[in-house]
Amino acid sequence: MPGPALRFLEYVFLALLYLFFLRVVRAVWVELREPRLVPASSAPGGKPSGALPADRQTGAVAGRKAKVMRLVVVGPDQQKGAAYPLAEELTIGRATGCAVPLPLDNFVSQVHARVFRRGDDYWVEDLGSTNGTLLNGRRMTGPSPLRRGDRVQVGRTVLELRK
């Protein structure tokens, strides 16, 4: 092989090696970084804007039972059927402190995503995970509202919002 072609291939190899190294460093950085915290903004009356009235916090809604929503694992099969009732906020990830622990899914970050309530609606947000979060098959770019029947995929695990 001629000298210039061999030299060119060496440079290409070095460039690919550096790109690989940078990708590994980025993945480690994302895993070690603390999750973003979203501060609760205060309304003029001093009450947080996302706060619910006392009767809503206990679940009573004008004489009716409040609908209790939950996340149900629909895949993979070894965790299928596990249900997690939704609270004001819960986290999804491999860490033991997560409300929805997924220790068997190696494609899930330590603290991968969170589901939180704003008013009467639930929202899902990716917390800077390495592999991202999918909502109904689409990659999320910011907090997105959750509706009954929506599917959230973190790693290989698929969760569905049910009543």
Side-chain angles (χ1 to χ4, degrees):
M1 190 177 268
L6 188 58
R7 179 62 82 193
F8 175 75
L9 288 176
E10 287 175 356
Y11 287 131
V12 168
F13 175 74
L14 283 175
L16 290 174
L17 188 62
Y18 282 119
L19 288 173
F20 174 75
F21 177 72
L22 290 174
R23 176 70 177 138
V24 169
V25 168
R26 181 190 174 277
V28 169
W29 175 260
V30 167
E31 283 292 321
L32 294 177
R33 184 178 63 188
E34 291 289 323
R36 290 179 291 161
L37 296 178
V38 178
S41 60
S42 294
K47 188 176 182 181
S49 61
L52 297 174
D55 62 328
R56 290 293 309 276
Q57 290 175 355
T58 60
V61 178
R64 296 181 309 197
K65 253 190 164 176
K67 56 182 177 181
V68 178
M69 302 298 281
R70 57 196 171 109
L71 284 175
V72 179
V73 178
V74 294
D77 288 337
Q78 67 255 29
Q79 293 177 316
K80 195 172 187 175
Y84 303 94
L86 292 179
E88 290 299 311
E89 181 175 336
L90 59 84
T91 54
I92 303 168
R94 282 194 339 244
T96 55
C98 290
V100 181
L102 302 171
L104 302 176
D105 193 338
N106 294 330
F107 294 97
V108 174
S109 298
Q110 291 294 317
V111 181
H112 194 102
R114 75 178 183 131
V115 176
F116 59 98
R117 180 159 54 185
R118 289 289 181 255
D120 291 335
D121 298 325
Y122 284 102
W123 292 70
V124 63
E125 175 183 29
D126 184 79
L127 296 175
S129 64
T130 304
N131 295 319
T133 301
L134 303 177
L135 177 60
N136 295 324
R138 292 190 170 156
R139 189 176 186 97
M140 294 177 42
T141 57
S144 301
L146 273 177
R147 305 284 178 248
R148 189 170 160 195
D150 281 351
R151 290 190 172 202
V152 177
Q153 181 174 348
V154 291
R156 291 184 177 162
T157 305
V158 180
L159 304 132
E160 184 176 309
L161 185 65
R162 295 184 184 169
K163 188 172 176 182

